[in-house]
């Protein structure tokens, strides 16, 4: 039972990480598909909470999400296998295939492939935002929070982590 | 050797744990440590390492840590650089996550989460928007986006297939034109 869970965690995060081109943020939609839709480890709302915690903290997002999810599924062993699945394949590739990658990273073929995949990544992230939005806006106040967030990000240039903390304080005052 | 390992650990701990916004936001901080402070690489070598990292999928911060850690101190260097990069936030995220699960029935936590979810939706939408600004240099990239939306909503296909298909399309459509590629190669 534990073994199959560990295997599922390993394979889910290995798949999500190693298909996402564009660094951690490109991996978020693929993680959501594994965690919410395929394995049902978290609900849509719980996944949004995980992202809130992840975004409130510094560091790579593609390792915070696996740690958050897999600890709840299978404890520290789960954290370990999901992180190995997330980083090991590309860590090995970067070290063992350096010479090959050095040549191939400037090839027009690879650049063409990355250019082709970028719109897909954008659509996947936008879809993730849309999916997470379902159920997130039960009333006008939540729309107001979203509007204030946009203003804070683009005009006031507030730090995202600060917006996350402030919104939680606001929720504590208003929604309780 | 021990000093080098310690430097790798502390450099990547500092770079990773002072930058918000996921791996790509950490790149300038990693550069500040690896190029400016410790001079493990020069500017050009750093650009090469970044190009190699961007050629591969997955989180960028761990690829950079692995590359630089290996170059400076072999496999042990890889290990300490990776630990510095991910261990602190992994620990904190696990603790916060278990607190959220433990208090999931508390009205206070529910109220806080209800207010934070719209913020997260906006942050993810912003990521899509920011990436989108650099991802649509021509009409065919819009075409790829439209086909992606159609496949996701009407065919319900796993994104892996769309990603692989888009890469093959990119190879065929953009892979052979050599000159005009330069300006959009850097993200």
């Amino acid at each position: 039972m534990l073994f199959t869970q560990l295997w599922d965690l390993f394979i889910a995060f290995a798949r999500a990480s190693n298909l996402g081109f564009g660094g951690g943020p490109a991996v978020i939609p693929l993680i959501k598909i594994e965690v919410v839709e395929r394995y049902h480890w978290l609900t849509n709302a719980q996944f949004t909470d995980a992202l809130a915690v992840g975004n409130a903290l510094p560091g790579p997002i593609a390792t915070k999400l696996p740690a958050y999810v897999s600890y709840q599924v299978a404890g520290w062993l789960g954290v370990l296998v999901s992180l190995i699945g997330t980083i090991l394949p590309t860590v090995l590739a970067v070290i063992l295939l350096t010479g090959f990658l050095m040549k191939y990273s400037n090839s027009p073929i690879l650049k063409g492939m990355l250019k082709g995949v970028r719109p897909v990544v954008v659509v996947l992230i936008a879809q993730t935002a849309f999916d997470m939005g379902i159920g997130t806006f039960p009333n006008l106040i939540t729309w107001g929070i979203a509007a204030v967030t946009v203003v804070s990000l683009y005009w006031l240039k507030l730090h995202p982590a600060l917006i996350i903390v402030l919104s939680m304080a606001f929720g504590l005052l208003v929604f309780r | 050797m021990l000093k080098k390992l310690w430097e790798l650990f502390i450099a990547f701990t500092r770079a990773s744990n002072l930058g918000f916004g996921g791996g790509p936001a950490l790149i300038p901080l990693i550069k500040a440590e690896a190029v400016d402070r410790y001079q493990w690489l020069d500017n050009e070598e750093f650009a090469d390492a970044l190009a190699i990292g961007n050629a591969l999928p997955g989180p960028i911060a761990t690829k950079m840590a692995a590359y630089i850690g290996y170059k400076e101190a072999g496999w042990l260097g890889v290990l300490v650089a990776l630990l510095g990069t991910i261990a602190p936030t992994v620990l904190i995220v696990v603790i916060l996550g278990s607190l959220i699960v433990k208090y999931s029935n508390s009205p206070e936590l529910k109220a806080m989460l209800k207010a934070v979810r719209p913020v997260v939706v906006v942050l993810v939408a912003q990521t899509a928007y920011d990436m989108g600004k650099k991802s649509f240099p021509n009409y065919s990239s819009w075409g790829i986006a439209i086909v992606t939306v159609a496949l996701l909503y009407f065919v319900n296909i796993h994104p892996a297939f769309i990603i692989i298909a888009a890469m093959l399309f990119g190879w065929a459509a953009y892979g052979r034109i050599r000159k005009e590629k330069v300006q959009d190669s850097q993200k």
Side-chain angles (χ1 to χ4, degrees):
Chain A
M1 185 58 196
L2 180 66
F3 183 78
T4 50
Q5 262 172 347
L6 292 177
W7 173 250
D8 286 347
L9 284 167
F10 174 79
I11 207 73
F13 287 106
R15 201 159 41 203
S17 256
N18 297 295
L19 285 168
F21 288 87
V27 175
I28 295 173
L30 300 165
I31 292 181
K32 179 168 170 289
I33 286 166
E34 301 289 343
V35 167
V36 178
E37 283 151 44
R38 188 177 185 120
Y39 292 104
H40 308 288
W41 287 318
L42 299 184
T43 65
N44 208 16
Q46 286 168 334
F47 185 79
T48 311
D49 301 340
L51 260 181
V53 173
N55 275 317
L57 295 171
I61 187 77
T63 54
K64 282 179 286 187
L65 281 177
Y68 184 104
V69 176
S70 52
Y71 182 77
Q72 296 182 14
V73 176
W76 287 109
L77 217 50
V79 173
L80 188 68
V81 297
S82 70
L83 287 175
I84 290 174
T86 300
I87 66 176
L88 193 64
T90 50
V91 160
L92 290 180
V94 129
I95 293 166
L96 300 176
L97 307 176
T98 308
F100 170 71
L101 288 168
M102 197 80 90
K103 263 187 276 170
Y104 138 105
S105 69
N106 283 316
S107 85
I109 292 176
L110 180 81
K111 284 184 179 159
M113 290 168 88
L114 291 178
K115 189 175 166 185
V117 83
R118 238 173 266 149
V120 177
V121 171
V122 172
V123 170
L124 288 174
I125 298 175
Q127 186 209 20
T128 302
F130 183 81
D131 283 357
M132 291 195 316
I134 298 169
T136 302
F137 299 101
N139 53 34
L140 277 178
I141 301 175
T142 44
W143 283 106
I145 295 172
V148 171
T149 304
V150 172
V151 172
S152 314
L153 280 174
Y154 281 96
W155 282 282
L156 306 178
K157 309 270 181 213
L158 284 190
H159 198 289
L162 181 64
I163 304 175
I164 287 175
V165 172
L166 289 177
S167 72
M168 291 176 90
F170 176 79
L172 199 52
L173 291 172
V174 175
F175 291 139
R176 193 163 47 136
Chain B
M1 183 65 183
L2 210 60
K3 181 164 174 280
K4 176 77 91 183
L5 291 177
W6 172 249
E7 284 175 353
L8 280 166
F9 177 77
I10 208 73
F12 280 99
T13 303
R14 209 158 35 203
S16 274
N17 297 291
L18 291 173
F20 288 82
L26 308 177
I27 292 169
L29 300 172
I30 296 175
K31 183 162 178 286
E33 299 288 342
V35 178
D36 305 335
R37 188 178 188 122
Y38 292 106
Q39 284 145 13
W40 291 320
L41 304 94
D42 62 31
N43 269 316
E44 203 173 319
E45 287 169 327
F46 189 84
D48 284 343
L50 192 57
I52 289 175
N54 280 330
L56 294 167
I60 185 75
T62 53
K63 281 179 285 188
M64 297 299 283
Y67 183 91
I68 297 167
Y70 185 77
K71 184 174 173 297
E72 286 306 304
W75 290 104
L76 221 50
V78 174
L79 189 68
V80 296
L82 283 174
L83 277 178
T85 302
I86 66 177
T89 49
V90 160
L91 289 177
I92 299 171
V93 99
V94 164
I95 293 166
L96 289 176
S98 26
L99 284 177
I100 287 184
V101 171
K102 188 174 173 195
Y103 294 104
S104 60
N105 287 319
S106 105
E108 286 85 1
L109 183 67
K110 277 185 181 160
M112 291 197 281
L113 292 177
K114 189 176 173 188
V116 81
R117 283 178 195 141
V119 176
V120 177
V121 171
V122 171
L123 288 176
V124 175
Q126 183 207 20
T127 305
Y129 176 75
D130 286 349
M131 267 197 200
K133 282 193 286 200
K134 302 163 214 149
S135 302
F136 298 98
N138 52 32
Y139 286 120
S140 55
S141 36
W142 283 105
I144 295 172
I146 291 165
V147 171
T148 305
V149 172
L151 288 174
L152 285 173
Y153 281 95
F154 300 111
V155 188
N156 206 6
I157 192 175
H158 192 283
F161 297 108
I162 308 177
I163 287 169
I164 291 163
M167 292 183 86
L168 293 176
F169 176 82
W171 179 357
Y174 315 126
R176 273 163 293 193
I177 317 160
R178 274 153 205 273
K179 278 284 169 267
E180 66 174 50
K181 290 288 83 73
V182 186
Q183 93 267 16
D184 53 59
S185 63
Q186 293 292 19
K187 288 205 306 179

